[in-house]
Amino acid sequence: MSEINKKKSLSVGQIICIILAAFLMLVQMYSWGKTFDRMPLSTLMRFVPGMLDKATLVLVPMVFGAVYSKKKIRPTEAYRFWIIAVVTLVLLYLVNFFKRPGSFNMWKLWGVFFPVLTSTSVLLAGLIFSILAQPYLYELHHRITTKQNLLLLSALTLVGFATSAGTMYFNYSIYGAYLILYFAWGMFLANVKIPKKVFGWSIAAGVFSFFVMFIGVPGFNGVYWYQRLSGRSSVYSWTPKFLSNPASPFLFLMVLAAFLIFRKVIVSYSAKDMRFFIPVIIFMDAPIIGGFASSFRFTNSAGFNKFLMIVIMMIAALALNYLYNRFLFRIKPIKKTVEFFNNHDNLAEVLEYSWKNFTAWVVKNRVRLLTWGWFYILSLVSFLIESDNLRIQITTATDINAVIFLLGTRFFAIILTAIFLDAMFAIFYFITTRYWTSTILVSVITIGWAIANKTKLNLRGEPIYPTELDEIVNWKTLLPMVGQQKVIMIAVALVIVIALTTFLEIKFPIKKKGSWKRRGIWALLSLLLFMTPARFNHDGGIIYHINRGFDNKQSFRNPERDIQINGPVLNFLNYFDLQIMNKPSNYSKATINHLNEKYGKIADEINKTRKNTLKDQTIVYNLSESFVDPYTFPTVKIDPKVPNPVRFIQSMKDRSTYGRMLSAGYGGGTANMEWETLTGFNMGMFKSTLTPYVQIVPNYDFYPTLGMDFNYKSAVHPFIGTYYSRVEDYKRFKFNKFVYLGSKYKIIDQKKLGKSSYNSDFTTYANGLKQINSMKDGQFINLISIQNHMPYNNWYPNNEYMGKVSGELFNTAAVREQMATYMKGVQYTDKAVKKFIGQIDKIKKPITIVFYGDHYPSILSQNYTAKYPVQMHATRYFIYSNKYAREHGAKEKLTHNTNYVNTSDFTAMMLEQTNSKVTPYQALLTEVHKKLPAITINFNGDKGFQLVDQNGHFVDPKKLTSEQQAILNDYEMVQYDMTAGQAYGLKAKGFYKLNN
């Protein structure tokens, strides 16, 4: 056994030093900036943690260099460091996964097995590089004199600083190579005599350097931020890390002083003692450690929690060190590798031998490796087929090269698809025992499935859903949709594929690998893998988190974009077993029929005083994209000298039902608000986040909406119509017409404002007015605008609101510019609404418009919604009946429960204002609106709903009366029936549609 590995007992002083060093290193698991902000001299003290972190990066290699300076070290020690690090990372990530499953991410897991390549720890990489360089450093140190050693190391230290000038941030493992310099300093200082005078001057220089950094680091930081805030961000002559950078001579002199003070005890340690610090370094530097350490709550004291966690991690490091020494290096493969390294001193020989064995392994397993490679390529191709001419639209206004995007950001989603393809191969291989047959079957199915999805996307704007698989029985009607030419091409391709398969099986047969039992086990495991999608959407489950760790995150909002970024295989699997609502205990057909009778009686009572019917009126539901009264933004201050951008809409308070609508989204979720208005159902009732237009409505041939009560219903949207499956869903709503860009109905008066690429609200209302005038009798119109959709890139020239917006949350120039752009946009909306209201007032038929903003614009950070949950989800709405409608029974305005409402309340409110008769379901909606607080999603991000009273305050559901609780339960029952149940309500006579 090597001399450096001889066992020896540590003294009490040595043990105390090790524990103290480990403690100071583990302290760095946490961010201490806020803690130091509360201390005296906080401006100076808050930089101390960063200085400690950088000092550790310098001191640890010096300590290791001193300990490993006694003789040449074989590459074995570098391997020991690596295997200890990998095993520690595996254990840490396993514990983290069970503690915080939501933090699982394949990119982070990749770093477990390749900690040097993936920048898991610069310090670990530096130590591994240093150990590999140690033999060469050892020879150099002994070949030149002490003076030459000192001059060489000093020159390299100064050159390193001079060339980086504080800009070397050590974010990547490759920077660990620089730490070899400090390792070499440790080797040199461990074996050189230091006179007392030199020692004293070194300590004095270290103390002086500390104070230079203590005062200078905040000073340099202040200069740096002065430059940034004064608009000179392109000036890089100053950097906040100038003095505290690991390459800084001042930092080195400070660390040198500490090293010299403890030099005697440092050189007394052995290599075996140093291995204890590898788990400590992993605990200190692992990318997940901050969140992991902070997730433990032992007491109410944050400081004491941190102290306990540091102690626990230190004990864990000690325990792991004992187990590694006792058992790890006795494991046969690891022991064999250690023996190999012990017998090879030359690093070049090691690399040559490793390469030889690696290539031999590749040749031996070439079929399997090529198969895996092919499945990855096949997976990527299936993604590319779903793109638009190799472009993927990542936002409504931006697209990107599909190959670059997929390989750069969707790597593990492609890998996950390849895993499912390999599982399919294993099943086919077990059944057929033919390699080429199985491989080509997987390839044909994958490409065929991708093409089928793309075909449906082109035809109907949505992919294939699991609920549509039974459509295969209608293949005779499906084939004409594909087209005769394509059918012939498919037939020819299948003949070629069969011929190719036969040729390969005969000419290049590949023998079966493994026994039938082994192949059977793999086939069984593959079948189990195909069962996992049944848990993909079970929020909180292990499979749910692993699936999301592979970047398979379905938004369920834009079907086309979803399939482009998740691929046709994962996109299809993501729609299995959606978690919609918990089944009510007494749900049945009889229960729904009972509710029909119960609310039928209430409807009869309501209808005694109602004179009108909906089908004789024109009702316009107007979703105004991202419309919010700018004066309701939290902390906003608008210069009083600029014109009120929403003067007319604010004036509607005196002549219409007017208030705040609680949106289920922030910066998005348009289709969800639209679904609530049309159906009367509520997003807060769902068990998990979903988009009904994409995940629920396609499950039904017909879906009940307000439009049922009209002989004619239509939708108008001067934008792309395929988002959220609107084209197909409107057919399920039995809409007679959908007018959008690209439809067979022309969008008239297309007008864009300034540099905006969106059609204006003037265009929206021009087309709405055209539809109103196209029908003599009553009709329903779902009118959706697009003008104020994000982004807000200074579209409008001569914008009087530029520089006139301020406030606590409007603290950057970019946010203020976006807000000014947005305000100009809503000013145009205000003018368009005013014009539209004036136009419908002149029409001699009853018209009622329900105007609402669907959600806040994404200008302010969504993080602020936690502080202003109701305010940042409350948009403006009004319900206005034109002059003719008021003359024929409609009310001017409602006064009860109008301040805070949900989108799902609009139908009940509109029916009351228009004095219209109700169905049993609409009677239920009326009871919900009149007797319950407004129902909305849980703004805290949790599951379930929240209740908001008329003052904008949350109401505890437990405080509801028994009558209110009964109404809420009935409402939940009906929504379950029409979203996750059997749709018994559709068969209950007159429940949704008024019997005339």
Side-chain angles (χ1 to χ4, degrees), residues 643-655:
N644 181 347
V646 288
R647 183 184 301 277
F648 177 77
I649 290 176
Q650 286 181 354
S651 74
M652 296 300 288
K653 182 176 183 179
D654 299 323
R655 50 198 293 233

Side-chain angles (χ1 to χ4, degrees), residues 590-867:
T591 301
I592 298 299
N593 288 334
H594 167 71
L595 293 178
N596 188 23
E597 293 178 11
K598 176 181 177 180
Y599 288 97
K601 294 176 182 178
I602 296 175
D604 290 340
E605 288 297 315
I606 294 173
N607 291 339
K608 286 179 181 179
T609 60
R610 301 280 178 95
K611 305 299 182 185
N612 295 325
T613 55
L614 280 180
K615 70 182 183 67
D616 298 323
Q617 303 177 66
T618 297
I619 305 297
V620 180
Y621 273 14
N622 176 204
L623 185 156
S624 184
E625 173 63 45
S626 301
F627 183 87
V628 180
D629 185 333
Y631 292 94
T632 65
F633 275 70
T635 80
V636 71
K637 295 178 181 177
I638 302 171
D639 191 329
K641 295 178 182 178
V642 297
N644 181 347
V646 288
R647 183 184 301 277
F648 177 77
I649 290 176
Q650 286 181 354
S651 74
M652 296 300 288
K653 182 176 183 179
D654 299 323
R655 50 198 293 233
S656 68
T657 303
Y658 182 93
R660 298 174 179 87
M661 184 209 82
L662 296 171
S663 173
Y666 177 82
T670 298
N672 293 344
M673 303 302 95
E674 188 183 335
W675 179 80
E676 285 189 333
T677 61
L678 295 177
T679 65
F681 296 134
N682 194 290
M683 295 297 298
M685 293 293 157
F686 290 132
K687 184 178 179 180
S688 58
T689 302
L690 50 81
T691 300
Y693 268 17
V694 179
Q695 295 166 278
I696 293 175
V697 177
N699 296 333
Y700 301 86
D701 293 327
F702 169 71
Y703 205 84
T705 67
L706 177 65
M708 291 176 66
D709 290 314
F710 296 84
N711 294 328
Y712 195 90
K713 45 269 182 189
S714 62
V716 178
H717 183 37
F719 191 57
I720 301 167
T722 53
Y723 283 126
Y724 302 103
S725 299
R726 278 195 181 99
V727 173
E728 290 304 310
D729 284 352
Y730 286 167
K731 291 178 182 177
R732 296 179 178 104
F733 296 159
K734 304 303 180 185
F735 278 19
N736 301 86
K737 181 196 290 187
F738 180 23
V739 185
Y740 61 94
L741 289 179
S743 70
K744 62 181 180 180
Y745 308 104
K746 184 181 179 182
I747 296 288
I748 65 169
D749 292 350
Q750 292 192 39
K751 179 181 179 182
K752 297 177 174 62
L753 302 172
K755 294 179 288 184
S756 174
S757 60
Y758 300 122
N759 273 316
S760 70
D761 284 352
F762 295 101
T763 299
T764 301
Y765 292 120
N767 284 270
L769 189 67
K770 177 186 177 184
Q771 182 58 42
I772 290 173
N773 291 326
S774 69
M775 302 288 298
K776 184 177 291 186
D777 299 323
Q779 63 173 312
F780 174 75
I781 304 171
N782 190 38
L783 186 63
I784 312 163
S785 75
I786 191 65
Q787 173 190 291
N788 294 317
H789 197 285
M790 64 159 308
Y792 308 101
N793 293 341
N794 193 12
W795 302 129
Y796 311 114
N798 304 318
N799 186 348
E800 64 267 42
Y801 301 104
M802 281 294 173
K804 305 299 182 181
V805 180
S806 60
E808 180 185 337
L809 304 189
F810 300 84
N811 50 12
T812 67
V815 169
R816 290 192 291 272
E817 179 182 284
Q818 289 179 53
M819 187 61 184
T821 301
Y822 174 76
M823 288 178 63
K824 187 64 178 177
V826 298
Q827 184 189 53
Y828 284 124
T829 298
D830 190 70
K831 292 177 179 178
V833 170
K834 181 179 181 180
K835 179 180 179 182
F836 183 62
I837 294 294
Q839 290 169 325
I840 64 173
D841 263 338
K842 296 175 182 178
I843 299 176
K844 298 299 182 181
K845 60 181 178 179
I847 303 172
T848 294
I849 176 174
V850 178
F851 172 96
Y852 65 100
D854 57 337
H855 53 71
Y856 252 71
S858 54
I859 294 173
L860 299 177
S861 170
Q862 192 164 355
N863 295 330
Y864 295 130
T865 58
K867 186 175 181 180

Side-chain angles (χ1 to χ4, degrees), residues 47-344:
F47 293 97
V48 170
M51 289 165 57
L52 176 63
D53 176 56
K54 302 301 184 294
T56 302
L57 208 57
V58 175
L59 179 60
V60 172
M62 290 178 67
V63 172
F64 272 72
V67 173
Y68 285 92
S69 66
K70 297 159 189 170
K71 62 177 298 181
K72 282 187 181 181
I73 305 298
R74 291 189 173 94
T76 310
E77 198 66 9
Y79 172 73
R80 287 179 184 273
F81 285 4
W82 179 81
I83 197 66
I84 288 172
V86 168
V87 174
T88 304
L89 282 165
V90 169
L91 295 173
L92 177 63
Y93 274 67
L94 278 174
V95 176
N96 179 69
F97 176 71
F98 287 108
K99 175 65 177 174
R100 301 188 308 139
S103 66
F104 175 75
N105 184 280
M106 280 300 296
W107 287 108
K108 293 179 181 177
L109 190 64
W110 191 255
V112 169
F113 302 101
F114 303 97
V116 174
L117 296 178
T118 55
S119 300
T120 296
S121 169
V122 175
L123 182 54
L124 173 69
L127 293 177
I128 291 175
F129 293 153
S130 297
I131 292 296
L132 293 174
Q134 193 272 352
Y136 308 100
L137 295 174
Y138 184 87
E139 286 185 3
L140 181 62
H141 276 314
H142 288 80
R143 188 180 302 156
I144 61 179
T145 65
T146 299
K147 190 174 182 179
Q148 289 171 331
N149 267 298
L150 179 62
L151 288 172
L152 179 60
L153 290 171
S154 299
L156 290 173
T157 303
L158 290 171
V159 168
F161 175 69
T163 54
S164 68
T167 59
M168 200 182 299
Y169 286 98
F170 291 80
N171 294 329
Y172 304 101
S173 289
I174 192 64
Y175 284 105
Y178 190 84
L179 303 184
I180 296 174
L181 172 62
Y182 298 122
F183 184 89
W185 268 110
M187 290 181 67
F188 168 69
L189 294 171
N191 298 289
V192 68
K193 254 190 174 184
I194 300 177
K196 287 185 178 180
K197 191 173 182 180
V198 174
F199 178 83
W201 278 109
S202 297
I203 301 301
V207 172
F208 174 76
S209 295
F210 170 77
F211 282 105
V212 168
M213 293 175 63
F214 186 71
I215 298 170
V217 169
F220 274 74
N221 188 72
V223 171
Y224 170 78
W225 281 108
Y226 168 76
Q227 291 178 334
R228 295 294 300 269
L229 295 174
S230 62
R232 286 180 271 174
S233 56
S234 61
V235 179
Y236 295 108
S237 56
W238 296 84
T239 169
K241 307 294 183 183
F242 187 72
L243 293 176
S244 60
N245 192 276
S248 167
F250 291 99
L251 183 70
F252 172 70
L253 288 173
M254 185 181 75
V255 171
L256 176 64
F259 177 88
L260 293 178
I261 291 171
F262 293 98
R263 186 174 73 140
K264 285 186 179 180
V265 69
I266 289 171
V267 296
S268 67
Y269 291 116
S270 67
K272 191 173 182 180
D273 299 327
M274 290 296 99
R275 292 173 202 149
F276 159 73
F277 286 101
I278 301 304
V280 173
I281 291 169
I282 294 301
F283 293 156
M284 180 182 75
D285 280 348
I288 63 167
I289 198 62
F292 174 76
S294 299
S295 67
F296 289 87
R297 301 284 190 276
F298 304 107
T299 70
N300 292 327
S301 170
F304 192 59
N305 282 334
K306 290 179 179 180
F307 174 78
L308 284 177
M309 195 62 196
I310 291 169
V311 172
I312 289 170
M313 298 305 282
M314 191 182 303
I315 293 171
L318 288 167
L320 289 176
N321 184 57
Y322 170 80
L323 293 172
Y324 293 157
N325 289 331
R326 187 78 182 270
F327 302 108
L328 180 62
F329 295 100
R330 293 182 182 180
I331 298 172
K332 193 172 181 180
I334 296 175
K335 184 179 180 181
K336 190 174 180 181
T337 306
V338 169
E339 289 174 353
F340 166 76
F341 281 124
N342 282 333
N343 295 324
H344 294 79

